[in-house]
Amino acid sequence: MDSQTALLGNELLEGEKVRLTTFSPSDLPSIVEWQNGLSKTLTIGKKPVTPEEWLKAQQENANYVFGIRLQDDDTLIGVCRIINVIGQAHHGQATLAMGHPHFSEQSYMADAIRAILRYVFMDVNLNRVYARISSAEEITIAAFEDAGMQIEGRIRQAEYQDNQYFDTVVLGILKREWMEQEGY
Amino acid sequence: MLHLTNEEKTLNNNRFEGDRIRLSAITDDDLPIVAGWLSNLSLQRLVNPGGVALVTAEQLFDPNGWFAAERNHKNAYLLGVHTKTDQQFIGISAINNIDLYAHHAEIGINLGHPDYQGKGYGRDVMVTTMRFGFEQLNLNRIGLNVFSYNTRAIRLYENLGFVHEAREREMLYRDGNYYDNLHMGILRNEWEERYG
């Protein structure tokens, strides 16, 4: 790049409909509303937890934690994280949790994932981002694929839910693939 | 049905024995030996996904350190491997990430003693640990991950019946190049077909 090129600023964390922002204890009321609005029990793994516990768990052992907000009105719709970064190996794992009853569709998911990939490749400078998602979560997997991640395999019967086994689907994207995809 | 004497039941002979090796707990006497093995950086690079680190026996003894955490982890078994003939401590067999809901776990073995490598002990340790996992821990699946440059181990796992399931590309960085992390697994029905 020559010296005339403008560096990315806030665009690092902007999607098309969502932006990545802070996620902090002040967001607790939103989490409470998610549980009520979706009439869904919050869990960590299989265990039901309180909104406070859920919020705290998002921050623990994570390298980067973002709240996903609608650009229009800043409504918090999910949490996107990078965890398990090994600096020496230049890789990290992406996780995504959507909570808002009205804004959990695939397009919002993919938008958020694209934004976090831009941040992680252009600023943090990782070489690889991966995800490990239960095959039960077909829409989430499709969203990660929309964002450019490729399925690298399935760890068979590594998950159990609803009285049956599912696989852990492994997805990954390399920085050079992302750069090409984005037209750099 | 296998009829055991009371003494045999107490000693759990059959469940932890292979042809030439026995699995048991790791004792404090073993720790300096483990530190010696881990000081071999080539060995470290076969099992450690990140960068190499210098290891001392003190670190392994440290009750707040990483090794103690692994040894005492409630979802893992860290086992020592001894030869049956002369009780030589030759390596470690780990059963990690035991998932009690999906009934699966990961195996990782580490034959650190240089005199016992390349002689078929790896196979013995793997089969004994797998048998323990399926027949005692009631696992439905045993998985492992192995680095793409560890060709000897990959061949062993293929021979044992592990199926290639996923290839995490450029997961590892070594000497200026990236290498892949391979996931392999064997399911209970596959184990029973092969070894039952």
Side-chain angles (χ1 to χ4, degrees):
Chain A
M1 287 193 182
D2 62 41
S3 58
Q4 301 298 315
T5 307
L7 298 176
L8 295 174
N10 290 335
E11 307 96 290
L12 278 169
L13 299 177
E14 294 280 333
E16 286 177 19
K17 300 187 285 194
V18 306
R19 68 169 60 93
L20 303 182
T21 66
T22 57
F23 180 68
S24 68
S26 60
D27 292 311
L28 187 60
S30 300
I31 312 300
V32 174
E33 264 196 53
W34 289 358
Q35 182 161 243
N36 297 337
L38 278 175
S39 198
K40 205 165 93 164
T41 304
L42 285 171
T43 59
I44 295 172
K46 302 204 177 293
K47 189 175 174 195
V49 293
T50 64
E52 290 86 350
E53 287 170 327
W54 192 88
L55 195 151
K56 184 157 169 276
Q58 303 313 305
Q59 315 278 8
E60 278 169 2
N61 297 324
N63 301 97
Y64 304 95
V65 183
F66 294 104
I68 306 167
R69 270 173 230 278
L70 297 179
Q71 284 174 352
D72 287 345
D73 60 1
D74 277 347
T75 306
L76 184 73
I77 66 169
V79 177
C80 195
R81 305 179 309 153
I82 301 290
I83 66 174
N84 295 332
V85 168
I86 295 184
Q88 180 268 357
H90 322 126
H91 69 230
Q93 180 178 351
T95 75
L96 182 67
M98 305 299 279
H100 197 287
H102 301 311
F103 301 102
S104 296
E105 295 112 51
Q106 186 170 323
S107 59
Y108 289 101
M109 292 186 186
D111 203 17
I113 297 162
R114 276 192 210 99
I116 207 171
L117 288 181
R118 183 186 320 115
Y119 169 71
V120 145
F121 287 132
M122 299 300 260
D123 195 69
V124 181
N125 196 25
L126 293 184
N127 175 62
R128 168 187 170 80
V129 176
Y130 65 98
R132 295 184 187 167
I133 304 172
S134 167
S135 58
E137 313 226 5
E138 294 174 349
I139 298 178
T140 309
I141 292 171
F144 273 84
E145 287 185 283
D146 283 351
M149 292 185 92
Q150 295 173 33
I151 293 181
E152 294 173 327
R154 289 159 194 278
I155 302 172
R156 299 169 303 154
Q157 296 187 25
E159 318 257 353
Y160 192 84
Q161 184 186 304
D162 301 334
N163 220 21
Q164 59 180 301
Y165 287 106
F166 290 91
D167 304 334
T168 303
V169 178
V170 179
L171 301 108
I173 183 168
L174 303 174
K175 178 171 177 174
R176 61 174 179 280
E177 294 171 337
W178 182 85
M179 299 280 278
E180 201 182 301
Q181 171 186 297
E182 299 296 305
Y184 286 102
Chain B
M1 194 183 115
L2 191 67
H3 290 278
L4 300 173
T5 65
N6 283 333
E7 187 187 317
E8 283 168 338
K9 284 176 196 167
T10 308
L11 293 175
N12 285 327
N13 280 344
N14 204 46
R15 295 172 210 162
F16 295 98
E17 277 189 8
D19 289 337
R20 294 181 289 171
I21 58 96
R22 183 175 45 87
L23 302 175
S24 56
I26 293 179
T27 68
D28 283 353
D29 289 342
D30 297 328
L31 295 192
I33 301 170
V34 175
W37 295 340
L38 291 176
S39 301
N40 177 345
L41 299 184
S42 295
L43 184 89
Q44 257 199 53
R45 277 182 151 190
L46 293 179
V47 297
N48 180 353
V52 297
L54 301 179
V55 177
T56 63
E58 285 82 27
Q59 286 170 359
L60 302 188
F61 277 111
D62 179 3
N64 299 320
W66 62 271
F67 193 79
E70 278 189 29
R71 211 169 153 197
N72 299 326
H73 200 288
K74 62 178 166 59
N75 288 330
Y77 289 48
L78 197 62
L79 303 171
V81 182
H82 291 77
T83 55
K84 280 159 72 164
T85 46
D86 55 356
Q87 326 311 324
Q88 183 73 248
F89 178 46
I90 67 169
I92 288 176
S93 179
I95 303 171
N96 292 316
N97 296 323
I98 299 173
D99 182 328
L100 297 174
Y101 313 114
H103 291 281
H104 74 79
E106 285 164 12
I107 269 186
I109 69 167
N110 197 335
L111 288 186
H113 197 304
D115 296 345
Y116 292 84
Q117 294 168 1
K119 298 191 167 126
Y121 283 93
R123 169 177 288 264
D124 201 356
V125 176
M126 282 295 293
V127 172
T128 309
T129 310
M130 289 161 78
R131 182 158 52 82
F132 176 75
F134 286 119
E135 293 183 2
Q136 308 305 332
L137 300 185
N138 195 21
L139 297 177
N140 174 67
R141 169 204 161 76
I142 290 179
L144 56 87
N145 64 79
V146 61
F147 303 157
S148 56
Y149 52 81
N150 195 353
T151 45
R152 188 166 78 177
I154 294 172
R155 248 193 326 271
L156 169 63
Y157 303 145
E158 288 169 349
N159 284 339
L160 290 172
F162 281 87
V163 171
H164 284 280
E165 292 173 328
R167 174 182 283 266
E168 292 188 289
R169 301 163 303 144
E170 300 194 10
M171 191 76 165
L172 311 151
Y173 185 82
R174 305 279 188 240
D175 304 338
N177 292 316
Y178 289 106
Y179 297 90
D180 302 341
N181 183 42
L182 277 48
H183 288 272
M184 303 177 77
I186 184 166
L187 302 175
R188 173 179 274 278
N189 59 288
E190 293 166 342
W191 159 267
E192 279 165 4
E193 221 174 274
R194 212 179 159 93
Y195 298 95

